[in-house]
Amino acid sequence: IPIRKTSGLLQVIVGAVPDKYSWVLNLLNMDGSVSAGLAELHGVATSKSVLARESKILHALVKGFILSRPAEAITEMQQILAEHKGNRLGLFLGAALALKNASNERALEMLKELSQTTTGVPIYYADYLRGEAFLHKGDYLNSISAYRWFIGHQPGQNYIKDAYYKIGLCYWLNGNENDALAIFDEAREKGKEATEADKSAARSLSEKNPPNVKLAKVRYFTDGGYYKEAEQLLTGIRSIDLDGARDDAEYYYRKARLSHKLNRPDVVSLYLETIRMTGQESWYFAPNACLQLGYIYQSQNRVKEATEYFQRALSYRRHEYKNSIDSKARSALAQLGRM
C-alpha cells in the first residue's frame, strides 16, 4: 500500500512528461499515466490503510494543481476536513485550493481557522496566502499587514521578492503612489528569483510603468471570485484609460477571463482576440488564452481543437508563467493521450 501511494503520484508526474524527454524515461525504464496514477491514489484513499488520509490529500492536490480541476479538488478537501476537523494541513491546502478556485471568502475562513490553532510546525506561507486573499478582496491595508508578517517570519528567500512587490502594488492600487514607488525600489533588491511568483514580480518590476490600476483591480477581483465588482470596473474602462498595446491586449484578456468564470458564450471570441492582439509579445495573455481554450474544447470532447490549443500554449517561448502554463498544457495533453 505505501508503494501504491508513492507510485500513484509518480505515475501522474511521469505521465505528463513531454515526448522530447521520453529518452530519459526510456533510459530509466520508467513509464507513467495520469489516469493510472489517479486510480492508484484513489485505491489507497478508499482503503482502511493509515495512509488513506494522505492519499486523499494527494488525490485532491493532483486534481487541483496538476489537472487544473480545482472545483473537484476543493470538494474532496472539504470532505477530508469534515472527517478531520481542524486539521492544519487540510486547512492550509484547502485555502490554497480555494484561492485557485476563485473562492476567496472560503480561503479566508480556512486561513482564519488555521491561525487559531497554535500547535505543530508554523506554516509561514499561510501568511503569504492571507496577503493574496486580502489583495483579491481589495482590502489593501490587511494585505500589506499579512505580507509584512510573512516577510518578517519567513526564514528562507522564496516569495520574498513577490511579497515586497505585492506590498508596493497594494499601495499603488490604494492611491499611495509615493509609498508604492519606494517599495518597488526596495523589492528590486530583496529576495531571489527562484519561484515563478518571484520571477513574475521581477519581470513586473522591470517594466517602465507600474500596472494599469483598473485592469489590475479587475484581475484580482476576478481571481477572488468577486465578479460583480470586476464587471463594474471593466464596464467603466474607456480607451483613454488604456496606455499602449499591452493594456489593449490585457483589456480583452480580462474580459475573456471574466466571461469564462461566468460561462458566457462570448468567451471563445474574446480569447481569440486576446491571442491576435498579443501577437508574438512575451506577455502571458496569449499562452494562457490558448490553455483556457484547450480546456473549453476538452470539456466539449472536441479533442482535435483541444490538442491544437494546448500545443499552441506550449509554443510560446518566453513569458512570465511559462513553467506553470507548460506543465498544465502537458498534463492536459497526457490526459488526451497526445503525449
Side-chain angles (χ1 to χ4, degrees):
I1 289 177
I3 290 173
R4 292 214 311 272
K5 182 209 74 175
T6 305
S7 171
L9 185 59
L10 289 173
Q11 283 265 20
V12 172
I13 295 170
V14 175
V17 172
D19 283 340
K20 66 179 180 179
Y21 297 123
S22 61
W23 67 270
V24 179
L25 302 182
N26 292 334
L27 184 67
L28 298 173
N29 195 27
M30 294 177 69
D31 191 18
S33 163
V34 174
S35 57
L38 277 174
E40 280 197 295
L41 286 173
H42 180 72
V44 182
T46 53
S47 73
K48 294 182 179 180
S49 167
V50 294
L51 298 171
R53 181 181 8 171
E54 183 180 349
S55 295
K56 287 177 183 178
I57 291 173
L58 288 172
H59 192 272
L61 293 180
V62 167
K63 277 194 172 182
F65 292 108
I66 297 179
L67 304 184
S68 291
R69 287 148 59 183
E72 295 177 31
I74 197 168
T75 298
E76 293 184 14
M77 192 61 72
Q78 286 172 337
Q79 291 172 349
I80 295 167
L81 287 169
E83 296 169 4
H84 307 278
K85 295 186 184 297
N87 181 275
R88 297 178 73 244
L89 179 60
L91 288 169
F92 168 65
L93 296 174
L97 286 167
L99 283 172
K100 187 173 178 61
N101 194 43
S103 303
N104 205 68
E105 290 299 320
R106 179 63 180 136
L108 283 169
E109 290 172 8
M110 290 182 177
L111 290 168
K112 181 179 180 180
E113 187 176 350
L114 177 62
S115 69
Q116 293 169 347
T117 60
T118 56
T119 58
V121 176
I123 306 175
Y124 300 115
Y125 186 66
D127 295 298
Y128 173 87
L129 292 183
R130 189 176 291 105
E132 296 283 282
F134 282 126
L135 173 57
H136 291 170
K137 191 173 184 176
D139 187 347
Y140 302 121
L141 296 182
N142 274 324
S143 181
I144 290 169
S145 177
Y147 284 128
R148 287 199 181 279
W149 182 268
F150 169 74
I151 290 169
H153 292 81
Q154 162 73 344
Q157 290 295 305
N158 288 349
Y159 298 97
I160 294 295
K161 182 176 290 293
D162 185 61
Y164 273 104
Y165 170 70
K166 294 286 178 57
I167 291 172
L169 185 61
C170 285
Y171 281 124
W172 182 255
L173 298 181
N174 205 37
N176 299 52
E177 184 175 329
N178 291 335
D179 289 332
L181 295 176
I183 294 295
F184 287 150
D185 284 339
E186 191 172 2
R188 292 182 180 97
E189 305 299 323
K190 300 290 186 178
K192 296 181 179 179
E193 297 177 33
T195 70
E196 195 163 61
D198 290 321
K199 291 176 182 177
S200 176
R203 182 182 288 256
S204 297
L205 289 164
S206 69
E207 297 285 341
K208 182 179 179 181
N209 297 312
N212 182 295
V213 170
K214 291 185 177 180
L215 290 175
K217 287 184 176 181
V218 170
R219 170 187 180 174
Y220 291 114
F221 279 142
T222 302
D223 287 348
Y226 303 106
Y227 303 137
K228 181 180 178 181
E229 292 83 349
E231 185 152 43
Q232 286 176 344
L233 269 174
L234 199 54
T235 55
I237 293 176
R238 300 290 180 263
S239 58
I240 194 173
D241 299 317
L242 305 175
D243 183 18
R246 191 183 194 282
D247 280 1
D248 292 338
E250 183 174 2
Y251 172 74
Y252 278 93
Y253 176 72
R254 298 297 163 209
K255 287 186 71 173
R257 295 298 294 137
L258 184 58
S259 286
H260 198 169
K261 296 290 187 181
L262 296 173
N263 297 312
R264 288 176 174 167
D266 63 346
V267 61
V268 171
S269 62
L270 288 170
Y271 277 136
L272 290 173
E273 184 63 14
T274 299
I275 294 167
R276 186 191 70 79
M277 295 190 73
T278 301
Q280 296 303 310
E281 296 288 349
S282 60
W283 312 321
Y284 70 92
F285 311 133
N288 200 45
C290 289
L291 180 71
Q292 299 304 322
L293 283 170
Y295 287 140
I296 290 170
Y297 289 127
Q298 184 181 29
S299 69
Q300 297 170 353
N301 293 318
R302 296 169 63 177
V303 176
K304 180 180 178 181
E305 292 91 339
T307 301
E308 175 190 347
Y309 279 100
F310 287 138
Q311 289 175 340
R312 284 188 66 177
L314 290 168
S315 70
Y316 291 89
R317 296 301 175 195
R318 294 178 62 247
H319 58 86
E320 56 201 288
Y321 294 116
K322 183 166 179 59
N323 287 343
S324 63
I325 289 175
D326 281 11
S327 175
K328 291 171 185 174
R330 287 168 184 157
S331 297
L333 285 168
Q335 293 176 72
L336 293 172
R338 297 306 174 99
M339 295 188 71

